[in-house]
Amino acid sequence: MSKNINIIRSTSVPLNMENVDTDQIIPARFLKATSREGFGKNLFRDWKYNNNDEMNPKPDFILNNPTYSGRILVAAKNFGCGSSREHAAWAIKDAGFDVVVSSFFADIFKSNALNNFLLPVQVSEGFLKKIFEAVTQDPNTEIEVILEKQTITILSTHEQENFEINAYKKTCLLNGYDDIDYLLSLKKQIEEFETP
Amino acid sequence: MGKTLFEKIWDKHVVKTIEGGPSVFYIDKHFIHEVTSPQAFAGLNKRGIKAFRPDQVVATADHNVPTVDQHLPIKEELSRRQVEMLKKNCAEHGIEMYGLGHPYQGIVHVIGPELGITQPGMTIVCGDSHTSTHGAFGNIAFGIGTTEVEMVLTTQCLLQSKPLLMRINVDGALNKGVVSKDIVLYIISQLSASGATGYAVEFAGSAIRSLSMEARMTICNMSIEMGARCGMIAPDETTFNYIKGRKFAPQGEAWERAVAYWKTLYSDGDAKFDRELFIKAEDIEPMITYGTNPGMGIGITGRVPALKDIDEKEKASFQKSLQYMGLEAGSNLKGRKVDYVFIGSCTNSRIEDLRMVASFVKGKQKASDVEVWIVPGSKQVEAQAKQEGIDKIFEEAGFMLRQPGCSACLGMNEDKIPAGKYCISTSNRNFEGRQGQNARTFLASPLTAALAAITGEVGDVREYLGKQVEEGAFIEN
């Protein structure tokens, strides 16, 4: 897992679908692994292939279209809804994405993404539309995300928007800190809390 | 100013709040299962530490287990390995496990309440989004990811930001044939699959109050299907009566103290909610979904929306959804043939659900071309059903009573709906491929599913209830 994220500048893959649920991101039958690695190859498995057949890809699916590539996945409203499976975040990260842009993220997915240094960038509906338009018009359009400044910019048009992230999580991502290390450092305080 | 139910519980569990960030939030009970825990234990093992409070963790195997021949080793190698790994991890970390063959085994959200582990005022988590089920007892219960499972195993804490608060009031009397599943499908159809994201939702109102604990669990279970962080219902006498005497319920003096505290758990009259909704119970009819998210639901006499009524930017998703389902915009579902009926899952697999189905189908036969699977939520539900003779009713009807597990809810274990087939299901998700690759799901109540089992098609249960009463059978709402 790559840590310390800050500036991501890349072309993007525009997945213009609403309510993309985690069962689509990684179908349940691939959750039988006991490690965190290797989920990327089954990302959007059933949207990618007909009848689960790798020799029979669905040509209309955007991730099968060689025109689009990059480290940024752009999706429509309510991305990551449904199951709490962290495997969804692992699969997206493992497939080479560092940022997911949407106008709205499901709660649990958002936490899971942040815990895996996959940055969820929430933008307005208007800005999302601009990204889809720019990228569809020119697939080479680069998008720049700067975590420290909390900005996302469409480089071809210089259009920019700020995004929210809580200060604690931002520090973690910028420095590669881990929540578990932090919580472990509070053990004494937690034990005191437990004592009535 | 008064506090909401949520705030009363939240405030009692905050260890500390980070400046400009989340709170360190203490977790009372942690349920784990085989699918979302192995990587968390691997994290602990890598750090060389043991579970911090193993007595507050309970494990079961449910997602991956077969629902026939549970006395035999699990056939599928990866599933078997995951279940064995859970057993090993629990043994190494001193965690109680109700695995296959144990009389308490079952779906994690069924066993917690029936064992009396789930209680009002608690904070409860599990690496499963339907953890919201437990909120029916008046607690804060929510699903978490595997890294968070690791956090709770190591420190019994999570980092949480306080959500917004929403109250949904359902008042009035329910129509005959309308049960709690219909209430929650109706609410989600009104709010959409993302309508409660960012909120903790409290369900209130006279129609909610009138429900049994099983029925309340069905409602809280599906809170996540509208994106809610958690769903909850203030505890009352119904709650206390349900818990009393259960295996892990407080006893004697401790019971009295517990109930006295639980009685303080309600939203004060002047408590503030960020959003409040009011729903009339009489507006709700038996519900069914037509699409590929649980917000795509309609009343049984309604029609799939026409394309012209769909928002421009939602049209692509809507059309993709109908194409997957093999349905036409503007059509109705009544009379549509089904191939499978699945009655089970953490939404509707409790004894009351099975009783409801049994009372409806008693003395009848399933339609010849329909396959009917009844999957009890736990070994205890299964045993109770047999004790009450419900198993005989199902057998005579030609239904298959299987063994406890998540079964055909999620297309992970052996129980899958074949491609292209229609399944009317009492589960919680109709996502593409959820019940098996290219399987098509209609979500509905156990009553509506039972009707489909008998007639082989989607129907309006209200047209049959009158006859039932004449024949002397009973229907509980």
Side-chain angles (χ1 to χ4, degrees):
Chain A
M1 195 196 306
S2 73
K3 294 200 172 182
N4 304 39
I5 56 171
N6 186 14
I7 299 171
I8 295 112
R9 182 180 174 160
S10 164
T11 51
S12 68
V13 181
L15 177 64
N16 197 350
M17 293 293 295
E18 294 194 340
N19 299 313
V20 174
D21 62 77
T22 53
D23 273 84
Q24 307 317 315
I25 299 173
I26 183 90
R29 63 185 188 279
F30 299 111
L31 309 187
K32 295 174 195 262
T34 51
S35 77
R36 288 170 178 251
E37 289 81 38
F39 289 98
K41 66 175 185 294
N42 293 319
L43 176 68
F44 293 113
R45 177 82 187 194
D46 293 334
W47 281 359
K48 262 190 198 156
Y49 306 112
N50 284 304
N51 307 318
N52 198 26
D53 179 2
E54 286 176 30
M55 304 307 286
N56 189 1
K58 295 180 179 176
D60 295 343
F61 184 53
I62 201 83
L63 271 83
N64 286 337
N65 185 341
T67 315
Y68 299 101
S69 64
R71 293 159 63 202
I72 300 174
L73 179 66
V74 188
K77 186 178 87 173
N78 200 25
F79 187 82
C81 60
S83 157
S84 62
R85 60 190 68 167
E86 192 164 317
H87 313 65
W90 298 337
I92 296 171
K93 187 81 182 176
D94 191 45
F97 294 103
D98 289 316
V99 174
V100 185
V101 180
S102 176
S103 55
F104 200 79
F105 289 96
D107 259 356
I108 309 179
F109 175 80
K110 197 174 184 176
S111 306
N112 287 340
L114 288 167
N115 284 332
N116 288 281
F117 295 83
L118 173 66
L119 183 62
V121 174
Q122 188 166 325
V123 297
S124 67
E125 282 289 346
F127 195 76
L128 187 70
K129 200 169 162 224
K130 283 178 187 163
I131 299 177
F132 279 131
E133 281 168 2
V135 176
T136 321
Q137 239 165 47
D138 178 8
N140 295 318
T141 303
E142 282 195 308
I143 292 169
E144 185 178 62
V145 174
I146 304 179
L147 173 59
E148 195 160 19
K149 295 202 287 190
Q150 296 177 223
T151 57
I152 175 166
T153 312
I154 305 169
L155 291 178
S156 57
T157 63
H158 304 289
E159 282 169 295
Q160 192 177 77
E161 198 169 85
N162 291 308
F163 63 89
E164 300 271 326
I165 182 166
N166 83 49
Y168 165 82
K169 226 37 222 184
K170 183 174 165 181
T171 309
C172 288
L173 294 176
L174 286 172
N175 297 290
Y177 295 160
D178 183 326
D179 281 353
I180 299 175
D181 289 334
Y182 173 71
L183 285 172
L184 281 169
S185 77
L186 296 178
K187 208 131 188 194
K188 199 159 166 280
Q189 214 172 329
I190 294 167
E191 281 168 348
E192 280 166 13
F193 176 87
E194 286 178 316
T195 321
Chain B
M1 196 180 72
K3 283 183 177 181
T4 62
L5 168 62
F6 181 90
E7 288 166 321
K8 286 179 183 179
I9 303 169
W10 172 273
D11 290 350
K12 263 190 175 298
H13 290 82
V14 172
V15 178
K16 71 173 272 187
T17 298
I18 301 165
E19 191 69 31
S23 295
V24 177
F25 190 61
Y26 190 82
I27 302 302
D28 296 318
K29 292 289 174 204
H30 184 194
F31 293 102
I32 59 172
H33 62 83
E34 75 277 19
V35 179
T36 57
S37 67
Q39 294 88 349
F41 280 111
L44 264 76
N45 295 342
K46 200 171 155 195
R47 286 171 201 266
I49 53 178
K50 293 285 177 209
F52 178 53
R53 294 289 180 248
D55 294 349
Q56 290 168 237
V57 189
V58 176
T60 193
D62 55 5
H63 284 63
N64 246 325
V65 302
T67 57
V68 290
D69 294 333
Q70 288 185 343
H71 60 290
L72 300 175
I74 299 174
K75 275 187 262 173
E76 220 261 321
E77 194 201 331
L78 290 174
S79 300
R80 187 175 67 245
R81 206 192 308 159
Q82 234 179 20
V83 172
E84 279 168 2
M85 188 166 271
L86 178 65
K87 207 168 155 183
K88 179 172 171 279
N89 284 329
C90 287
E92 283 176 9
H93 289 267
I95 292 165
E96 186 80 64
M97 164 141 177
Y98 303 133
L100 273 188
H102 194 286
Y104 296 160
Q105 181 267 337
I107 304 174
V108 63
H109 310 308
V110 175
I111 69 167
E114 77 181 4
L115 288 169
I117 297 169
T118 301
Q119 294 169 18
M122 286 179 164
T123 51
I124 299 175
V125 295
C126 174
D128 187 285
S129 61
H130 293 109
T131 308
S132 57
T133 311
H134 304 264
F137 291 79
N139 53 49
I140 298 178
F142 53 95
I144 55 177
T146 297
T147 303
E148 292 173 314
V149 170
E150 189 177 338
M151 290 180 206
V152 181
L153 285 173
T154 49
T155 64
Q156 209 58 36
C157 285
L158 281 174
L159 292 164
Q160 284 291 302
S161 298
K162 193 173 162 186
L164 295 168
L165 304 177
M166 184 191 304
R167 181 159 62 187
I168 300 177
N169 303 277
V170 187
D171 282 297
L174 290 168
N175 293 312
K176 260 231 161 317
V178 173
V179 294
S180 68
K181 181 64 164 286
D182 301 308
I183 300 177
V184 72
L185 284 174
Y186 178 81
I187 293 171
I188 302 165
S189 76
Q190 299 292 302
L191 272 172
S192 89
S194 60
T197 302
Y199 288 89
V201 174
E202 180 179 342
F203 298 96
S206 59
I208 301 291
R209 286 270 145 256
S210 72
L211 299 173
S212 68
M213 284 319 294
E214 281 91 343
R216 292 179 189 185
M217 283 188 250
T218 301
I219 291 186
C220 288
N221 172 275
M222 289 193 73
S223 315
I224 181 69
E225 306 311 336
M226 49 186 179
R229 192 71 182 131
C230 64
M232 61 203 313
I233 295 170
D236 57 12
E237 289 301 324
T238 306
T239 322
F240 311 147
N241 291 337
Y242 178 96
I243 300 170
K244 194 168 190 181
R246 290 187 184 265
K247 173 84 180 166
F248 295 104
Q251 311 285 335
E253 219 179 290
W255 170 258
E256 300 303 328
R257 271 200 313 276
V259 173
Y261 168 55
W262 295 345
K263 284 183 174 170
T264 68
L265 297 173
Y266 55 86
S267 290
D268 295 328
D270 56 345
K272 284 269 182 297
F273 289 86
D274 299 288
R275 195 173 169 198
E276 186 144 24
L277 300 179
F278 295 89
I279 287 167
K280 286 188 204 141
E282 58 265 32
D283 289 348
I284 307 171
E285 59 171 352
M287 295 288 295
I288 190 150
T289 63
Y290 61 86
T292 54
N293 74 57
M296 302 173 89
I298 49 176
I300 198 79
T301 59
R303 285 175 178 275
V304 176
L307 194 58
K308 64 174 171 53
D309 298 328
I310 300 294
D311 194 277
E312 195 54 47
K313 65 183 171 47
E314 287 171 14
K315 272 189 178 148
S317 306
F318 176 77
Q319 281 176 304
K320 183 175 192 296
S321 186
L322 289 195
Q323 192 188 6
Y324 180 86
M325 289 297 292
L327 297 174
E328 304 286 323
S331 64
N332 57 15
L333 296 188
K334 227 179 124 190
R336 187 164 280 274
K337 223 187 103 16
V338 300
D339 308 293
Y340 283 77
V341 175
F342 171 58
I343 294 170
S345 88
C346 56
T347 313
N348 283 119
S349 65
R350 297 178 179 82
I351 190 64
E352 189 180 275
D353 300 311
L354 268 48
R355 283 181 192 141
M356 195 191 322
V357 172
S359 72
F360 188 81
V361 305
K362 191 173 184 178
K364 298 189 181 69
Q365 283 288 312
K366 77 171 181 72
S368 58
D369 48 358
V370 174
E371 187 133 356
V372 185
W373 294 346
I374 311 268
V375 185
S378 70
K379 290 303 279 184
Q380 293 204 78
V381 170
E382 182 187 35
Q384 181 77 27
K386 285 183 175 167
Q387 199 190 318
E388 294 180 17
I390 288 173
D391 58 328
K392 293 284 179 301
I393 296 172
F394 292 154
E395 197 183 311
E396 282 160 18
F399 295 1
M400 187 177 188
L401 179 63
R402 302 172 75 97
Q403 291 172 302
C406 296
S407 186
C409 174
L410 87 163
M412 172 158 202
N413 49 69
E414 294 165 11
D415 305 349
K416 294 186 180 79
I417 307 302
K421 298 291 181 191
Y422 287 96
C423 177
I424 190 160
S425 176
T426 67
S427 56
N428 39 57
R429 288 187 175 136
N430 49 356
F431 296 154
E432 284 184 32
R434 174 75 179 184
Q435 295 197 285
Q437 283 171 67
N438 293 315
R440 293 155 161 173
T441 305
F442 296 129
L443 298 177
S445 79
L447 269 185
T448 300
L451 173 61
I454 302 301
T455 62
E457 57 183 50
V458 175
D460 185 344
V461 75
R462 293 171 296 185
E463 292 168 13
Y464 295 79
L465 289 181
K467 290 179 203 162
Q468 289 284 313
V469 174
E470 280 160 31
E471 287 163 18
F474 67 97
I475 292 293
E476 281 178 317
N477 264 354

